[in-house]
């Protein structure tokens, strides 16, 4: 006998009439009380779908339900998200080709002293222009599209300049002056995620141009040696991803093999192979796919089954000696930037879910602002989440490494997006299989944020809830609430004029470190875009 959803009723007569049942054993079936008429069980058959789960269990699912009800504070948060989205887009675009820089250079931030972020980081620029490329591929506003194309074309010219400028680390050079000259001071290099991220950003733009019937040979020419941007980066990624364990991570602090780098390299090669194949460069497509397969085959090393989370670095060869937990929010960012809907360290994978739980638990006690569980946003009080930093042992305070480390805007926005993407993914899949990882993730929503699940005890490992069932709907609704709590946390610490910083002071919550950090703006716009999709799924709006 197996118990399923909601209140339990013994429906011997109903089941006896059901063709899916082979015998007259009494089954325990749980259904929503609101849909069950004690006097007229036959009516239930017109409202429910029946399907066989196995030989002994018939799962009676409620017919597709109505939209979930948004919380009372939703309109106030919606207004903030939309207003901030406008500010973030404007300021992000302003940081591309800013005054005093070469056209196409992307300033990491407007800060030029304490700290000086007036540089073009290849990775950050790639993340930024990938976001702009996404806007271009989704906008119906011709004027906005023209603006995006101008920025992308300038980035194209600047990127080719960087690729052809001689430097100690070649394409592994991570940091450039705003005039395109390589940074020659002491720095943690090479960083091999940058060329992969740049390739991904241009592949998105190339697809847009192809759909318009335009020539894309500047991006992919199918030649060796090549003078095209994407192929140059793909050849570098394919040839160097396993060159050594001297690669620096995205925080530029640790040397080794890093999950984030491997994930973005894998995505670049897979999408690059698709583009190469589309353009008839079949031998290159095979080569990129082979290398992507090798990367995939080596990724299991990042999973720590004893600690139950994804390690950020393996084969460590240098860098900070105090980052002992190997737990890092960049793993979460890897899922957001590099996930390909193939279950490979994607947002819904058990490994990523378990890591997300560990991150929240690790960061909560580190920052005084996490003692605040609600805030006023647009004059409406609403719950806020735990603020996330980079990693628990972090000592970078936005100005130097004297400590203590602070929560970051972009990682907290990332966790908001993570929840919205779970909604998208599970909605698309049409089912949620309850593994121990899923159960633990849902349990944290209740334990940490008091988000109630009507029937928490029924979320038994091995149970599957399908689209249209009340439990499936409830899970997606609660994920929306949790995602919005992270979004509200970002809103709480963002300046009233929409200005974003790199960090928030762990005690006061006031913006700290680099001002107008481009990545913070891009993290918000990305989260806001996925929030719109999630809202349409959960609230049908």
């Amino acid at each position: 006998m197996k118990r399923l959803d909601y209140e339990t009723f013994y429906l011997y007569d109903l089941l006896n009439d059901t063709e899916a049942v082979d015998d007259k054993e009494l089954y325990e079936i749980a259904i929503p009380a609101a849909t069950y008429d004690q006097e007229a069980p036959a009516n239930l058959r017109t409202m429910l779908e029946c399907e066989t789960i196995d030989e002994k269990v018939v799962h009676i699912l409620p017919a597709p339900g109505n939209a979930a009800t948004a919380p009372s504070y939703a309109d106030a948060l919606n207004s903030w998200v939309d207003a901030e989205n406008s500010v973030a887009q404007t300021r992000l675009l302003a940081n591309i080709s800013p005054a005093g820089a070469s056209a196409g250079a992307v300033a990491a931030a407007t800060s030029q002293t304490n700290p000086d972020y007036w540089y073009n980081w290849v990775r950050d620029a790639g993340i930024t222009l990938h976001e702009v490329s996404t806007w271009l591929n989704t906008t119906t506003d011709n004027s906005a599209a023209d603006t995006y194309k101008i920025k992308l074309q300038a980035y194209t010219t600047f990127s080719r300049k960087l690729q052809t400028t001689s430097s100690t680390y070649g394409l592994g050079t991570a940091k450039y002056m705003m005039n395109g000259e390589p940074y020659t001071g002491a720095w943690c290099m090479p960083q091999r995620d940058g060329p992969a991220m740049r390739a991904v950003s241009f592949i998105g733009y190339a697809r847009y141009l192809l759909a318009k019937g335009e020539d894309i040979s500047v991006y992919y020419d199918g030649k060796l040696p090549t003078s095209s941007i994407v192929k140059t980066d793909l050849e570098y990624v394919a040839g160097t991803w396993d060159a050594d364990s001297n690669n620096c991570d995205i925080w530029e602090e640790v040397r080794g093999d890093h999950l984030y780098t491997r994930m973005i390299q894998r995505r670049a090669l897979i999408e690059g192979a698709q583009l190469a194949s589309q353009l008839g460069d079949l031998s290159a497509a095979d080569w990129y796919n082979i290398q992507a397969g090798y990367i995939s085959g080596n990724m299991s090393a990042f999973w720590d089954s004893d600690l139950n989370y994804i390690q950020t670095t393996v084969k460590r060869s240098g860098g900070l000696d105090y980052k002992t937990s190997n737990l890092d929010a960049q793993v979460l960012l890897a899922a957001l930037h590099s996930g390909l809907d193939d279950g490979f360290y994607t947002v819904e994978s058990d490994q990523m879910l378990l890591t997300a739980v560990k991150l929240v638990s690790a960061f909560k006690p580190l920052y005084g602002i996490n003692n605040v569980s609600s805030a006023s946003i647009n004059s409406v009080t609403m719950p806020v989440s735990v603020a996330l930093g980079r990693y628990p042992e972090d000592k970078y305070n936005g100005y130097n490494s004297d400590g203590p480390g602070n929560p970051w805007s972009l990682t907290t926005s990332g966790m908001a997006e993570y929840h919205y993407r779970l909604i998208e993914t599970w909605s698309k899949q049409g089912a949620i299989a309850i593994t121990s990882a899923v159960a633990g993730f849902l349990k944290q929503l209740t334990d940490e944020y008091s988000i109630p699940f009507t029937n928490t005890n029924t979320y038994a490992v091995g149970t599957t809830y399908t689209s249209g069932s009340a439990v499936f709907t409830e899970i997606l609704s609660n994920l929306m609430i949790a995602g919005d709590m992270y979004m509200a946390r970002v809103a709480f610490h963002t300046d009233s004029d929409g200005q974003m910083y790199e960090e928030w002071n762990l005690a006061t919550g006031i913006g700290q470190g680099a001002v107008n950090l481009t990545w913070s703006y891009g993290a918000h716009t990305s989260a806001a875009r996925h929030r719109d999709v999630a809202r349409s799924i959960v609230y049908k709006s």
Side-chain angles (χ1 to χ4, degrees):
M1 190 176 292
K2 182 175 182 179
R3 183 180 178 186
L4 298 174
D5 310 339
Y6 290 83
E7 298 182 20
T8 299
F9 297 90
Y10 293 91
L11 306 176
Y12 176 86
D13 290 338
L14 176 60
L15 290 171
N16 192 35
D17 291 338
T18 301
E19 294 180 358
V21 179
D22 296 329
D23 54 35
K24 297 182 180 180
E25 179 179 349
L26 185 64
Y27 290 81
E28 183 183 12
I29 304 294
I31 58 174
T35 66
Y36 180 70
D37 184 347
Q38 187 76 31
E39 301 301 321
N43 292 339
L44 191 62
R45 296 294 301 279
T46 65
M47 295 186 290
L48 303 177
E49 300 171 343
C50 235
E51 72 180 62
T52 302
I53 300 300
D54 57 37
E55 292 180 356
K56 293 294 183 181
V57 178
V58 172
H59 187 182
I60 299 184
L61 302 171
N66 296 323
T69 301
S72 59
Y73 54 80
D75 287 345
L77 184 60
N78 294 343
S79 296
W80 180 85
V81 170
D82 291 344
E84 182 59 31
N85 203 52
S86 178
V87 172
Q89 285 194 348
T90 298
R91 296 196 179 195
L92 181 151
L93 290 171
N95 282 356
I96 306 170
S97 306
S102 294
V106 182
T110 57
S111 298
Q112 297 188 41
T113 57
N114 196 34
D116 184 4
Y117 277 31
W118 190 248
Y119 297 98
N120 182 103
W121 271 270
V122 176
R123 169 192 51 259
D124 296 35
I127 292 170
T128 300
L129 272 298
H130 182 253
E131 184 68 5
V132 175
S133 176
T134 301
W135 301 347
L136 177 61
N137 276 281
T138 55
T139 190
T140 57
D141 183 329
N142 290 333
S143 176
D146 289 342
T147 297
Y148 305 151
K149 284 188 283 189
I150 289 170
K151 298 294 186 180
L152 283 158
Q153 291 292 347
Y155 173 59
T156 298
T157 302
F158 187 74
S159 293
R160 189 57 187 161
K161 177 181 179 179
L162 302 190
Q163 287 182 333
T164 55
T165 298
S166 177
S167 61
T168 302
Y169 297 99
L171 295 185
T173 301
K175 181 178 178 180
Y176 288 83
M177 311 297 285
M178 292 296 284
N179 64 1
E181 293 300 312
Y183 181 79
T184 56
W187 208 254
C188 193
M189 290 192 268
Q191 294 178 34
R192 298 195 178 101
D193 60 302
M197 187 68 245
R198 181 168 56 201
V200 168
S201 69
F202 278 127
I203 288 170
Y205 185 40
R207 287 170 173 165
Y208 169 87
L209 295 174
L210 278 174
K212 299 289 185 181
E214 298 185 32
D215 177 67
I216 65 162
S217 57
V218 67
Y219 302 104
Y220 198 99
D221 59 10
K223 299 175 182 178
L224 283 178
T226 181
S227 58
S228 58
I229 296 173
V230 172
K231 190 167 178 64
T232 295
D233 281 337
L234 291 176
E235 291 296 320
Y236 174 81
V237 172
T240 65
W241 70 266
D242 64 344
D244 54 50
S245 296
N246 197 43
N247 180 50
C248 292
D249 75 322
I250 69 170
W251 307 137
E252 306 175 317
E253 296 174 333
V254 174
R255 294 182 183 274
D257 292 346
H258 314 290
L259 181 107
Y260 183 96
T261 303
R262 288 286 182 267
M263 286 287 286
I264 195 63
Q265 289 172 328
R266 177 179 182 268
R267 176 179 179 177
L269 290 169
I270 290 173
E271 293 189 339
Q274 293 168 351
L275 180 64
S277 179
Q278 182 179 355
L279 297 174
D281 193 4
L282 301 183
S283 61
D286 288 344
W287 173 241
Y288 301 151
N289 276 324
I290 288 169
Q291 297 308 308
Y294 287 150
I295 292 175
S296 301
N298 284 277
M299 293 292 284
S300 61
F302 290 97
W303 173 247
D304 191 315
S305 57
D306 294 326
L307 295 175
N308 248 15
Y309 59 80
I310 301 168
Q311 301 178 88
T312 188
T313 300
V314 297
K315 297 182 180 179
R316 180 191 170 99
S317 63
L320 298 181
D321 59 4
Y322 55 77
K323 190 176 179 180
T324 55
S325 68
N326 217 6
L327 176 67
D328 196 310
Q330 67 178 275
V331 168
L332 187 81
L333 300 179
L336 302 182
H337 298 169
S338 308
L340 290 174
D341 296 329
D342 58 0
F344 194 86
Y345 287 124
T346 45
V347 292
E348 86 285 5
S349 66
D350 281 356
Q351 297 98 325
M352 200 60 68
L353 288 164
L354 288 165
T355 303
V357 168
K358 293 286 187 179
L359 287 168
V360 172
S361 297
F363 285 122
K364 182 184 179 181
L366 296 182
Y367 311 133
I369 61 173
N370 284 338
N371 293 322
V372 176
S373 58
S374 64
S376 178
I377 310 298
N378 281 344
S379 301
V380 175
T381 300
M382 61 188 70
V384 295
S385 70
V386 167
L388 274 63
R390 298 192 301 174
Y391 54 90
E393 304 89 348
D394 197 3
K395 293 183 181 181
Y396 180 65
N397 58 26
Y399 309 111
N400 54 56
S401 295
D402 295 338
N406 293 305
W408 282 44
S409 181
L410 70 90
T411 54
T412 308
S413 289
M415 186 60 90
E417 181 176 333
Y418 182 81
H419 286 73
Y420 303 143
R421 289 218 193 179
L422 276 175
I423 293 170
E424 294 178 62
T425 299
W426 279 333
S427 176
K428 181 178 179 180
Q429 293 176 349
I432 302 172
I434 306 298
T435 62
S436 58
V438 173
F441 184 85
L442 298 178
K443 185 175 185 297
Q444 187 180 63
L445 299 187
T446 298
D447 293 348
E448 186 60 55
Y449 299 134
S450 300
I451 298 175
F453 286 86
T454 306
N455 291 279
T456 303
N457 292 334
T458 69
Y459 295 167
V461 173
T463 306
T464 296
Y465 299 101
T466 55
S467 179
S469 69
V471 174
F472 184 93
T473 299
E474 181 180 57
I475 290 174
L476 298 194
S477 176
N478 285 349
L479 287 172
M480 190 75 213
I481 291 171
D484 277 356
M485 289 176 69
Y486 288 98
M487 187 66 86
R489 171 62 75 175
V490 176
F492 186 37
H493 301 295
T494 297
D495 285 358
S496 59
D497 65 354
Q499 179 172 270
M500 288 181 153
Y501 290 76
E502 178 183 67
E503 308 175 21
W504 310 313
N505 184 278
L506 80 170
T508 67
I510 296 173
Q512 189 163 315
V515 66
N516 285 318
L517 189 79
T518 309
W519 196 345
S520 291
Y521 291 128
H524 172 76
T525 60
S526 182
R529 184 173 62 257
H530 287 281
R531 182 178 185 267
D532 285 343
V533 177
R535 280 182 55 79
S536 69
I537 293 169
V538 174
Y539 302 134
K540 307 295 189 287
S541 62

